[in-house]
Amino acid sequence: MTAALPGAEVTGTRTLTADGDGRFDSAVATLADGRELAIRVADDDDASRELAAEALALRALTDGARAMLPFRAPAYIGETRVGEGRALVTELLPGFQIEASMVPAGRGAAESMGAAIAAVHALPTSVVRGAGLVMRSAEESRAELERLVDTAAATGRVPARLTVRWREAVADDELWRFESTVVLGGAQATSFLFDDHPERGPQVTGIIGWHGLAVGDPALDLSWLSAAPDAAADVHGSYARTLERAPDAGLEIRARLLAELEFARWLVHGDALRREDIVDDAAALLDALADGLRDDSLGAPGDRRSGVDSALDALDRVPVATAPEVDTSMQTDAYNPEELWAAETDDADREDPAVPASVTASVEQPSASAHPDTDRRAAAASIDTEDLSGLTMRFTGGSGRDDNTASSQAVTDDDDSDEAQRAARAALQRWKSSSSE
């Protein structure tokens, strides 16, 4: 601690339990002057690189840039090493967090989150350029996504209907007519810190998690709304009202596509490492996603009805887009995959055509025995990815605490589409429950 902040007098310490994902050893240090600092120590090389990126991003937020934000970002204090691990010391911001699925609709948290994201996206790009951080145009974002879809499809483990769905989105020029902005690089619900206002409800007072700071697709910071079906419309609405630029017609669709492609990123990572357990887990997630879709149609932005709820409103019409080349991690904290079927739950009893088992023969599905080339494996193996091995057991009836599992499986043999959809939701709910402990 004193190595990162010479002269500091530490009067107390405690464990930092919030904002943890098991990859860091975290603590809070209380100083004699009353300040509280957060200390995170990396447990491995990947976590060390993330801390280095966080440090660079926080230093890029100059006083002028911070003055443009209606909330606080942690102040950079210093860096040091603890044993063999890199340690980053930052200001500890006050406030509470709200899980995505618990963000309510209406005034308060949802609208405040939308306005906060808009404020980040309104920062001048010189903030990122001056720090030498990643800058990606709309076309570069599109090209990166195309490579990801092709790489995932080449494993032979992506259902053909998903490959078609994603490739149609990439080919839709209307989706890629957007202006790149400053982005957090993948905000999630727990990136936001709140204070409870007596009249306006929870208001964002701080944002944490700046390691992905870049210039890129604004949809990156809205993909987490796949886990917030109640609040998504209000977050998007507040975002659009606050951001002073031309409307982005494809924003919600690209954000939804990005959420779906996290499964593909996990698959690519596992394939690159020749980890069959990861590949099988990712394939199970993709199969569940494909089985949960009621329609393969992507839907153009102009065809969608006015006031659509969110990217979850119609899974069959809401693909969404892009993510940074340097990050193929399965962002389990960013959204809970079981929410991908949130809108479908409400429509389960409505008249709806059965989901086709596969797409037409005009789309060729790569053979499951096809192996990506060595260069692709080597490149993908270097990408930071969380370990989600073991998810397959949750899809095949592994133990879990979800009381809805039995009812999810109680479906008729005549409704295979609904059965697959409900089973997927139940399995993903068990994933949500276990990952939150």
Side-chain angles (χ1 to χ4, degrees):
M1 177 68 211
T2 54
L5 185 61
E9 182 181 348
V10 179
T11 59
T13 61
R14 70 178 189 274
T15 301
L16 176 61
T17 57
D19 191 36
D21 59 7
R23 296 183 301 129
F24 304 97
D25 292 324
S26 304
V28 176
T30 302
L31 305 186
D33 60 8
R35 286 184 296 164
E36 289 193 319
L37 305 180
I39 304 101
R40 287 188 294 165
V41 181
D43 284 342
D44 54 38
D45 290 341
D46 290 343
S48 182
R49 284 191 290 271
E50 181 174 316
L51 288 185
E54 178 91 1
L56 183 59
L58 293 179
R59 289 194 300 247
L61 294 175
T62 62
D63 290 343
R66 291 170 183 265
M68 299 176 67
L69 300 173
F71 53 80
R72 295 171 63 188
Y76 169 84
I77 302 299
E79 297 171 82
T80 186
R81 299 197 71 82
V82 176
E84 296 298 318
R86 176 193 291 268
L88 174 64
V89 182
T90 64
E91 173 189 20
L92 180 68
L93 298 183
F96 61 90
Q97 296 165 300
I98 306 175
E99 292 291 335
S101 61
M102 301 299 292
V103 179
R107 294 180 58 194
E111 292 189 352
S112 184
M113 293 166 105
I117 295 171
V120 174
H121 293 183
L123 287 172
T125 57
S126 58
V127 171
V128 170
R129 184 185 302 110
L133 298 172
V134 174
M135 300 189 64
R136 186 174 287 109
S137 67
E139 201 52 45
E140 288 170 333
S141 295
R142 184 183 193 177
E144 188 276 334
L145 181 59
E146 183 175 19
R147 288 192 295 273
L148 173 60
V149 172
D150 289 344
T151 303
T155 67
R157 302 298 298 272
V158 180
R161 69 185 309 192
L162 291 181
T163 301
V164 173
R165 177 182 176 86
W166 298 337
R167 283 178 171 160
E168 284 182 347
V170 171
D172 185 353
D173 292 338
E174 292 299 319
L175 291 181
W176 305 100
R177 294 193 174 106
F178 67 85
E179 180 182 352
S180 291
T181 67
V182 173
V183 293
L184 286 166
Q188 50 190 292
T190 51
S191 300
F192 302 89
L193 300 176
F194 296 90
D195 184 36
D196 213 359
H197 190 278
E199 296 178 359
R200 300 196 301 271
Q203 299 293 301
V204 174
T205 57
I207 287 184
I208 57 178
W210 291 81
H211 57 272
L213 185 66
V215 168
D217 186 351
L220 286 168
D221 291 338
L222 293 160
S223 65
W224 66 273
L225 289 173
S226 290
D230 294 337
D234 290 313
V235 174
H236 276 293
S238 176
Y239 173 86
R241 291 191 300 272
T242 305
L243 195 63
E244 297 179 356
R245 65 179 69 213
D248 181 351
L251 181 66
E252 292 183 45
I253 296 180
R254 296 197 314 277
R256 173 51 204 238
L257 181 58
L258 177 59
E260 292 185 15
L261 283 172
E262 289 302 327
F263 300 114
R265 293 180 184 278
W266 182 234
L267 173 67
V268 168
H269 179 72
D271 183 68
L273 296 181
R274 300 183 186 275
R275 287 278 303 274
E276 288 302 319
D277 55 338
I278 295 177
V279 170
D280 290 343
D281 286 338
L285 289 164
L286 290 164
D287 287 342
L289 175 60
D291 290 342
L293 300 180
R294 290 186 176 274
D295 197 315
D296 295 316
S297 174
L298 300 175
D303 294 336
R304 303 178 67 220
R305 72 179 182 276
S306 175
V308 65
D309 276 329
S310 69
L312 295 180
D313 178 69
L315 180 62
D316 53 322
R317 292 182 302 163
V318 197
V320 195
T322 71
E325 266 181 349
V326 297
D327 181 9
T328 60
S329 60
M330 183 66 187
Q331 303 289 351
T332 53
D333 290 336
Y335 66 98
N336 293 311
E338 54 116 9
E339 298 292 355
L340 297 174
W341 288 270
E344 296 291 344
T345 303
D346 296 335
D347 297 332
D349 297 327
R350 300 179 187 175
E351 292 184 4
D352 216 334
V355 182
S358 62
V359 296
T360 62
S362 62
V363 179
E364 183 177 352
Q365 173 70 4
S367 167
S369 63
H371 293 289
D373 59 67
T374 303
D375 290 342
R376 177 176 60 77
R377 287 182 183 275
S382 65
I383 300 173
D384 298 346
T385 309
E386 294 179 39
D387 184 3
L388 297 184
S389 57
L391 290 180
T392 301
M393 292 186 63
R394 297 192 176 99
F395 275 91
T396 56
S399 61
R401 293 173 300 282
D402 188 354
D403 295 335
N404 295 324
T405 302
S407 62
S408 298
Q409 294 172 340
V411 294
T412 66
D413 293 336
D414 294 333
D415 196 344
D416 292 338
S417 175
D418 283 348
E419 180 178 7
Q421 183 182 348
R422 291 169 185 167
R425 284 199 301 270
L428 289 167
Q429 177 61 43
R430 290 194 294 274
W431 174 18
K432 171 185 175 182
S433 299
S434 62
S435 64
S436 64
E437 295 182 345

